[in-house]
Short mmCIF file of all heavy atoms in Angstrom, two decimals:
data_model
loop_
_atom_site.label_atom_id
_atom_site.label_comp_id
_atom_site.label_asym_id
_atom_site.label_seq_id
_atom_site.Cartn_x
_atom_site.Cartn_y
_atom_site.Cartn_z
N MET P 1 124.21 86.66 52.99
CA MET P 1 123.20 86.66 51.97
C MET P 1 121.87 86.28 52.61
O MET P 1 121.81 85.38 53.43
CB MET P 1 123.57 85.66 50.88
CG MET P 1 122.57 85.64 49.77
SD MET P 1 123.08 84.61 48.38
CE MET P 1 124.53 85.46 47.86
N VAL P 2 120.83 86.96 52.21
CA VAL P 2 119.50 86.71 52.76
C VAL P 2 118.53 86.47 51.62
O VAL P 2 118.55 87.17 50.61
CB VAL P 2 119.01 87.92 53.59
CG1 VAL P 2 117.59 87.72 54.06
CG2 VAL P 2 119.94 88.19 54.74
N TYR P 3 117.69 85.45 51.78
CA TYR P 3 116.61 85.18 50.84
C TYR P 3 115.30 85.30 51.59
O TYR P 3 115.19 84.85 52.73
CB TYR P 3 116.68 83.76 50.28
CG TYR P 3 117.83 83.50 49.36
CD1 TYR P 3 118.93 82.79 49.78
CD2 TYR P 3 117.79 83.96 48.05
CE1 TYR P 3 119.99 82.54 48.93
CE2 TYR P 3 118.84 83.72 47.19
CZ TYR P 3 119.94 83.01 47.63
OH TYR P 3 120.98 82.76 46.79
N ARG P 4 114.31 85.87 50.93
CA ARG P 4 112.96 85.86 51.48
C ARG P 4 112.13 85.02 50.52
O ARG P 4 111.86 85.44 49.39
CB ARG P 4 112.40 87.28 51.57
CG ARG P 4 111.02 87.28 52.17
CD ARG P 4 110.50 88.67 52.30
NE ARG P 4 109.18 88.61 52.90
CZ ARG P 4 108.30 89.56 52.78
NH1 ARG P 4 108.57 90.65 52.09
NH2 ARG P 4 107.11 89.42 53.34
N ILE P 5 111.76 83.84 50.99
CA ILE P 5 111.07 82.88 50.12
C ILE P 5 109.76 82.49 50.78
O ILE P 5 109.76 81.87 51.85
CB ILE P 5 111.93 81.61 49.91
CG1 ILE P 5 113.32 81.99 49.39
CG2 ILE P 5 111.23 80.65 48.96
CD1 ILE P 5 114.31 80.86 49.43
N PRO P 6 108.64 82.82 50.17
CA PRO P 6 107.36 82.35 50.72
C PRO P 6 107.31 80.83 50.74
O PRO P 6 107.87 80.17 49.86
CB PRO P 6 106.32 82.92 49.74
CG PRO P 6 107.01 84.03 49.05
CD PRO P 6 108.45 83.65 48.98
N ARG P 7 106.69 80.28 51.74
CA ARG P 7 106.62 78.82 51.91
C ARG P 7 106.12 78.13 50.64
O ARG P 7 106.60 77.06 50.28
CB ARG P 7 105.68 78.51 53.09
CG ARG P 7 105.57 77.10 53.47
CD ARG P 7 106.75 76.72 54.31
NE ARG P 7 106.57 75.37 54.84
CZ ARG P 7 107.42 74.83 55.65
NH1 ARG P 7 108.47 75.50 56.05
NH2 ARG P 7 107.24 73.62 56.09
N THR P 8 105.21 78.75 49.94
CA THR P 8 104.63 78.15 48.73
C THR P 8 105.60 78.16 47.55
O THR P 8 105.35 77.50 46.55
CB THR P 8 103.35 78.89 48.32
OG1 THR P 8 103.66 80.28 48.13
CG2 THR P 8 102.27 78.74 49.39
N GLU P 9 106.71 78.87 47.66
CA GLU P 9 107.67 79.00 46.56
C GLU P 9 108.98 78.24 46.81
O GLU P 9 109.87 78.27 45.97
CB GLU P 9 107.99 80.48 46.33
CG GLU P 9 106.78 81.33 46.05
CD GLU P 9 106.13 81.02 44.72
OE1 GLU P 9 106.87 80.83 43.74
OE2 GLU P 9 104.89 80.95 44.66
N VAL P 10 109.12 77.56 47.93
CA VAL P 10 110.37 76.90 48.29
C VAL P 10 110.81 75.90 47.21
O VAL P 10 111.99 75.87 46.84
CB VAL P 10 110.26 76.21 49.67
CG1 VAL P 10 111.47 75.33 49.94
CG2 VAL P 10 110.13 77.25 50.76
N LYS P 11 109.91 75.12 46.68
CA LYS P 11 110.29 74.11 45.68
C LYS P 11 110.91 74.72 44.44
O LYS P 11 111.73 74.09 43.78
CB LYS P 11 109.08 73.26 45.30
CG LYS P 11 108.65 72.33 46.40
CD LYS P 11 107.52 71.43 45.98
CE LYS P 11 107.17 70.52 47.14
NZ LYS P 11 106.11 69.59 46.81
N LYS P 12 110.57 75.95 44.13
CA LYS P 12 111.14 76.62 42.96
C LYS P 12 112.60 77.03 43.18
O LYS P 12 113.26 77.45 42.24
CB LYS P 12 110.31 77.85 42.61
CG LYS P 12 108.91 77.52 42.16
CD LYS P 12 108.14 78.77 41.85
CE LYS P 12 106.72 78.43 41.43
NZ LYS P 12 105.92 79.65 41.17
N CYS P 13 113.10 76.90 44.40
CA CYS P 13 114.46 77.33 44.73
C CYS P 13 115.44 76.17 44.83
O CYS P 13 116.56 76.34 45.31
CB CYS P 13 114.44 78.10 46.05
SG CYS P 13 113.43 79.58 45.96
N ALA P 14 115.07 75.01 44.38
CA ALA P 14 115.91 73.82 44.50
C ALA P 14 117.25 73.99 43.78
O ALA P 14 118.23 73.35 44.16
CB ALA P 14 115.17 72.60 43.95
N ASP P 15 117.32 74.84 42.78
CA ASP P 15 118.55 75.00 42.01
C ASP P 15 119.54 75.98 42.64
O ASP P 15 120.61 76.20 42.10
CB ASP P 15 118.22 75.44 40.59
CG ASP P 15 117.53 76.80 40.54
OD1 ASP P 15 116.95 77.21 41.57
OD2 ASP P 15 117.56 77.43 39.47
N ARG P 16 119.24 76.53 43.78
CA ARG P 16 120.15 77.47 44.44
C ARG P 16 121.13 76.68 45.31
O ARG P 16 120.77 76.20 46.38
CB ARG P 16 119.38 78.47 45.29
CG ARG P 16 118.49 79.37 44.47
CD ARG P 16 117.80 80.38 45.37
NE ARG P 16 116.87 81.17 44.60
CZ ARG P 16 117.16 82.38 44.12
NH1 ARG P 16 118.33 82.91 44.33
NH2 ARG P 16 116.26 83.05 43.43
N PRO P 17 122.38 76.56 44.87
CA PRO P 17 123.35 75.72 45.59
C PRO P 17 123.62 76.16 47.02
O PRO P 17 123.88 75.32 47.89
CB PRO P 17 124.61 75.80 44.74
CG PRO P 17 124.43 76.94 43.83
CD PRO P 17 122.96 77.18 43.70
N ASN P 18 123.54 77.45 47.31
CA ASN P 18 123.83 77.89 48.68
C ASN P 18 122.71 77.55 49.66
O ASN P 18 122.88 77.71 50.86
CB ASN P 18 124.19 79.37 48.73
CG ASN P 18 123.17 80.24 48.08
OD1 ASN P 18 122.27 79.76 47.38
ND2 ASN P 18 123.27 81.53 48.29
N LEU P 19 121.59 77.05 49.19
CA LEU P 19 120.53 76.59 50.11
C LEU P 19 120.77 75.14 50.51
O LEU P 19 120.03 74.58 51.31
CB LEU P 19 119.15 76.73 49.46
CG LEU P 19 118.65 78.15 49.28
CD1 LEU P 19 117.27 78.15 48.66
CD2 LEU P 19 118.64 78.92 50.59
N ASN P 20 121.80 74.52 49.97
CA ASN P 20 122.14 73.14 50.33
C ASN P 20 123.35 73.08 51.25
O ASN P 20 124.07 72.10 51.28
CB ASN P 20 122.38 72.31 49.07
CG ASN P 20 121.09 72.08 48.31
OD1 ASN P 20 120.08 71.76 48.92
ND2 ASN P 20 121.12 72.26 47.02
N SER P 21 123.57 74.14 52.00
CA SER P 21 124.67 74.18 52.96
C SER P 21 124.12 74.63 54.31
O SER P 21 122.95 74.94 54.45
CB SER P 21 125.76 75.13 52.47
OG SER P 21 125.24 76.42 52.30
N THR P 22 124.99 74.65 55.31
CA THR P 22 124.57 75.03 56.66
C THR P 22 124.21 76.51 56.68
O THR P 22 124.99 77.36 56.25
CB THR P 22 125.70 74.74 57.66
OG1 THR P 22 126.03 73.37 57.59
CG2 THR P 22 125.27 75.09 59.07
N ARG P 23 123.03 76.79 57.20
CA ARG P 23 122.53 78.17 57.26
C ARG P 23 121.63 78.35 58.47
O ARG P 23 121.10 77.39 59.04
CB ARG P 23 121.68 78.51 56.03
CG ARG P 23 122.38 78.38 54.72
CD ARG P 23 123.25 79.56 54.46
NE ARG P 23 123.89 79.36 53.15
CZ ARG P 23 124.98 79.99 52.79
NH1 ARG P 23 125.53 80.85 53.58
NH2 ARG P 23 125.51 79.76 51.62
N VAL P 24 121.45 79.60 58.83
CA VAL P 24 120.45 80.00 59.82
C VAL P 24 119.23 80.45 59.04
O VAL P 24 119.35 81.10 58.00
CB VAL P 24 120.98 81.14 60.72
CG1 VAL P 24 119.89 81.67 61.64
CG2 VAL P 24 122.17 80.65 61.53
N TYR P 25 118.05 80.11 59.53
CA TYR P 25 116.82 80.51 58.83
C TYR P 25 115.81 81.02 59.84
O TYR P 25 115.90 80.75 61.03
CB TYR P 25 116.24 79.34 58.03
CG TYR P 25 115.84 78.16 58.88
CD1 TYR P 25 114.55 78.05 59.37
CD2 TYR P 25 116.76 77.17 59.22
CE1 TYR P 25 114.17 76.98 60.17
CE2 TYR P 25 116.40 76.11 60.02
CZ TYR P 25 115.11 76.02 60.48
OH TYR P 25 114.75 74.97 61.28
N ARG P 26 114.84 81.77 59.34
CA ARG P 26 113.75 82.28 60.18
C ARG P 26 112.43 81.94 59.52
O ARG P 26 112.27 82.11 58.31
CB ARG P 26 113.87 83.80 60.35
CG ARG P 26 115.11 84.19 61.12
CD ARG P 26 115.23 85.67 61.26
NE ARG P 26 115.64 86.21 59.95
CZ ARG P 26 115.72 87.49 59.69
NH1 ARG P 26 115.40 88.38 60.59
NH2 ARG P 26 116.10 87.92 58.51
N LEU P 27 111.51 81.46 60.31
CA LEU P 27 110.16 81.16 59.85
C LEU P 27 109.21 82.14 60.53
O LEU P 27 109.18 82.22 61.76
CB LEU P 27 109.77 79.72 60.19
CG LEU P 27 110.66 78.62 59.62
CD1 LEU P 27 110.21 77.27 60.15
CD2 LEU P 27 110.66 78.65 58.11
N PHE P 28 108.44 82.85 59.75
CA PHE P 28 107.50 83.84 60.28
C PHE P 28 106.10 83.28 60.24
O PHE P 28 105.72 82.60 59.29
CB PHE P 28 107.56 85.13 59.45
CG PHE P 28 108.89 85.81 59.51
CD1 PHE P 28 109.91 85.45 58.65
CD2 PHE P 28 109.11 86.80 60.45
CE1 PHE P 28 111.15 86.08 58.71
CE2 PHE P 28 110.35 87.45 60.51
CZ PHE P 28 111.36 87.08 59.64
N GLY P 29 105.34 83.56 61.26
CA GLY P 29 103.96 83.08 61.31
C GLY P 29 103.25 83.63 62.52
O GLY P 29 103.58 84.69 63.03
N ARG P 30 102.28 82.87 63.00
CA ARG P 30 101.51 83.27 64.18
C ARG P 30 101.53 82.13 65.20
O ARG P 30 101.55 80.97 64.83
CB ARG P 30 100.08 83.61 63.80
CG ARG P 30 100.01 84.79 62.86
CD ARG P 30 98.63 85.43 62.86
NE ARG P 30 98.68 86.72 62.21
CZ ARG P 30 98.89 87.88 62.84
NH1 ARG P 30 99.04 87.90 64.14
NH2 ARG P 30 98.92 89.01 62.18
N ASN P 31 101.52 82.50 66.47
CA ASN P 31 101.51 81.49 67.53
C ASN P 31 100.08 81.10 67.88
O ASN P 31 99.12 81.56 67.25
CB ASN P 31 102.30 81.97 68.76
CG ASN P 31 101.67 83.17 69.43
OD1 ASN P 31 100.50 83.50 69.22
ND2 ASN P 31 102.44 83.85 70.26
N GLU P 32 99.92 80.27 68.91
CA GLU P 32 98.60 79.78 69.29
C GLU P 32 97.67 80.88 69.81
O GLU P 32 96.46 80.72 69.84
CB GLU P 32 98.70 78.65 70.32
CG GLU P 32 99.52 78.96 71.53
CD GLU P 32 101.02 78.77 71.33
OE1 GLU P 32 101.44 78.14 70.36
OE2 GLU P 32 101.77 79.28 72.17
N ASP P 33 98.25 82.04 70.20
CA ASP P 33 97.44 83.19 70.63
C ASP P 33 97.17 84.15 69.47
O ASP P 33 96.71 85.27 69.69
CB ASP P 33 98.16 83.95 71.76
CG ASP P 33 98.33 83.10 73.00
OD1 ASP P 33 97.42 82.27 73.27
OD2 ASP P 33 99.35 83.25 73.69
N ASP P 34 97.51 83.74 68.25
CA ASP P 34 97.33 84.52 67.03
C ASP P 34 98.17 85.79 67.03
O ASP P 34 97.84 86.78 66.39
CB ASP P 34 95.86 84.85 66.77
CG ASP P 34 95.61 85.20 65.32
OD1 ASP P 34 96.27 84.62 64.43
OD2 ASP P 34 94.77 86.09 65.06
N LYS P 35 99.30 85.76 67.75
CA LYS P 35 100.24 86.87 67.73
C LYS P 35 101.38 86.52 66.79
O LYS P 35 101.72 85.35 66.61
CB LYS P 35 100.79 87.12 69.13
CG LYS P 35 99.74 87.62 70.09
CD LYS P 35 100.34 87.93 71.43
CE LYS P 35 99.25 88.44 72.37
NZ LYS P 35 99.78 88.70 73.70
N GLU P 36 101.98 87.54 66.16
CA GLU P 36 103.09 87.30 65.27
C GLU P 36 104.23 86.62 66.01
O GLU P 36 104.52 86.96 67.16
CB GLU P 36 103.57 88.61 64.65
CG GLU P 36 102.58 89.20 63.69
CD GLU P 36 103.09 90.47 63.04
OE1 GLU P 36 104.15 90.99 63.45
OE2 GLU P 36 102.42 90.95 62.12
N ALA P 37 104.86 85.65 65.35
CA ALA P 37 105.95 84.91 65.97
C ALA P 37 107.01 84.62 64.93
O ALA P 37 106.74 84.54 63.74
CB ALA P 37 105.42 83.60 66.57
N VAL P 38 108.25 84.45 65.41
CA VAL P 38 109.37 84.10 64.54
C VAL P 38 110.10 82.93 65.18
O VAL P 38 110.40 82.95 66.37
CB VAL P 38 110.36 85.28 64.38
CG1 VAL P 38 111.55 84.87 63.52
CG2 VAL P 38 109.68 86.49 63.80
N TYR P 39 110.36 81.90 64.37
CA TYR P 39 111.16 80.76 64.81
C TYR P 39 112.51 80.89 64.13
O TYR P 39 112.59 81.08 62.91
CB TYR P 39 110.50 79.44 64.41
CG TYR P 39 111.36 78.25 64.70
CD1 TYR P 39 111.41 77.70 65.98
CD2 TYR P 39 112.17 77.69 63.71
CE1 TYR P 39 112.22 76.61 66.25
CE2 TYR P 39 112.98 76.60 63.98
CZ TYR P 39 113.01 76.07 65.25
OH TYR P 39 113.82 75.01 65.53
N ILE P 40 113.59 80.83 64.90
CA ILE P 40 114.94 80.91 64.34
C ILE P 40 115.57 79.54 64.50
O ILE P 40 115.58 78.96 65.59
CB ILE P 40 115.77 81.97 65.06
CG1 ILE P 40 115.09 83.34 64.93
CG2 ILE P 40 117.19 82.01 64.50
CD1 ILE P 40 115.70 84.42 65.77
N GLY P 41 116.07 79.00 63.40
CA GLY P 41 116.67 77.67 63.42
C GLY P 41 117.96 77.62 62.63
O GLY P 41 118.34 78.57 61.96
N GLU P 42 118.62 76.48 62.68
CA GLU P 42 119.85 76.23 61.94
C GLU P 42 119.74 74.84 61.35
O GLU P 42 119.20 73.93 61.98
CB GLU P 42 121.05 76.33 62.88
CG GLU P 42 122.39 76.08 62.24
CD GLU P 42 122.80 74.63 62.25
OE1 GLU P 42 122.35 73.86 63.11
OE2 GLU P 42 123.58 74.25 61.36
N ALA P 43 120.21 74.68 60.14
CA ALA P 43 120.14 73.38 59.49
C ALA P 43 121.38 73.16 58.64
O ALA P 43 121.94 74.10 58.08
CB ALA P 43 118.89 73.27 58.63
N GLU P 44 121.80 71.90 58.54
CA GLU P 44 122.94 71.53 57.70
C GLU P 44 122.61 71.78 56.23
O GLU P 44 123.45 72.23 55.48
CB GLU P 44 123.29 70.06 57.90
CG GLU P 44 123.71 69.71 59.31
CD GLU P 44 125.13 70.12 59.60
OE1 GLU P 44 125.97 70.05 58.68
OE2 GLU P 44 125.40 70.49 60.76
N GLU P 45 121.40 71.44 55.82
CA GLU P 45 120.94 71.67 54.45
C GLU P 45 119.59 72.37 54.53
O GLU P 45 118.55 71.76 54.69
CB GLU P 45 120.81 70.35 53.69
CG GLU P 45 122.14 69.66 53.50
CD GLU P 45 122.02 68.36 52.73
OE1 GLU P 45 120.91 68.00 52.31
OE2 GLU P 45 123.06 67.71 52.56
N VAL P 46 119.61 73.69 54.43
CA VAL P 46 118.42 74.50 54.65
C VAL P 46 117.28 74.10 53.71
O VAL P 46 116.13 74.00 54.12
CB VAL P 46 118.74 76.00 54.52
CG1 VAL P 46 117.48 76.83 54.56
CG2 VAL P 46 119.67 76.41 55.63
N TYR P 47 117.59 73.88 52.44
CA TYR P 47 116.52 73.52 51.50
C TYR P 47 115.76 72.29 51.97
O TYR P 47 114.53 72.28 51.98
CB TYR P 47 117.09 73.31 50.09
CG TYR P 47 116.01 72.91 49.10
CD1 TYR P 47 115.17 73.87 48.59
CD2 TYR P 47 115.84 71.59 48.73
CE1 TYR P 47 114.15 73.52 47.71
CE2 TYR P 47 114.84 71.23 47.84
CZ TYR P 47 114.01 72.20 47.34
OH TYR P 47 113.00 71.84 46.47
N ASN P 48 116.47 71.25 52.39
CA ASN P 48 115.80 70.03 52.87
C ASN P 48 114.97 70.32 54.11
O ASN P 48 113.88 69.79 54.27
CB ASN P 48 116.83 68.95 53.17
CG ASN P 48 117.45 68.40 51.91
OD1 ASN P 48 116.90 68.53 50.83
ND2 ASN P 48 118.63 67.83 52.05
N ARG P 49 115.45 71.16 55.00
CA ARG P 49 114.71 71.49 56.22
C ARG P 49 113.42 72.24 55.89
O ARG P 49 112.38 71.99 56.47
CB ARG P 49 115.59 72.33 57.16
CG ARG P 49 114.87 72.95 58.34
CD ARG P 49 114.22 71.89 59.23
NE ARG P 49 113.47 72.50 60.28
CZ ARG P 49 112.17 72.80 60.22
NH1 ARG P 49 111.48 72.56 59.13
NH2 ARG P 49 111.55 73.34 61.24
N LEU P 50 113.48 73.13 54.93
CA LEU P 50 112.29 73.91 54.58
C LEU P 50 111.25 73.07 53.84
O LEU P 50 110.09 73.43 53.78
CB LEU P 50 112.69 75.13 53.75
CG LEU P 50 113.53 76.17 54.46
CD1 LEU P 50 113.92 77.28 53.50
CD2 LEU P 50 112.82 76.72 55.69
N GLN P 51 111.67 71.94 53.30
CA GLN P 51 110.73 71.03 52.65
C GLN P 51 109.88 70.26 53.66
O GLN P 51 108.81 69.80 53.34
CB GLN P 51 111.49 70.02 51.77
CG GLN P 51 112.12 70.62 50.56
CD GLN P 51 111.09 71.15 49.60
OE1 GLN P 51 110.20 70.45 49.17
NE2 GLN P 51 111.21 72.42 49.26
N ALA P 52 110.38 70.14 54.89
CA ALA P 52 109.68 69.34 55.92
C ALA P 52 108.42 70.01 56.39
O ALA P 52 108.19 71.16 56.27
CB ALA P 52 110.61 69.12 57.10
#
C-alpha cells in the first residue's frame, strides 16, 4: 500500500492505523544544489517519524 501525503497534510492522517507500524517511506525535496532529491527511510512508527 502506498500513500502520497504532502508534508502539510500529515497531521490529518493520524487516524490511519497502518501508519503506526513499521514502514518504508520516501521524502521528496531538493538538495543543497537545488536538484531534486529523494530520501528513503524506514521507521517503526511512520506517522511519528513524519511528525519530526
Side-chain angles (χ1 to χ4, degrees):
M1 181 173 297
V2 175
Y3 291 104
R4 181 178 181 202
I5 306 168
R7 185 80 173 183
T8 57
E9 304 292 318
V10 170
K11 289 184 179 182
K12 294 179 182 178
C13 298
D15 62 339
R16 296 182 184 263
N18 53 348
L19 290 181
N20 290 315
S21 59
T22 303
R23 301 281 180 200
V24 173
Y25 62 92
R26 294 179 286 173
L27 301 175
F28 296 87
R30 297 200 167 267
N31 65 17
E32 53 277 345
D33 297 326
D34 200 35
K35 293 183 180 178
E36 291 182 351
V38 178
Y39 174 82
I40 301 171
E42 180 271 335
E44 298 282 326
E45 295 181 2
V46 172
Y47 179 78
N48 289 339
R49 169 60 184 93
L50 294 177
Q51 291 295 305

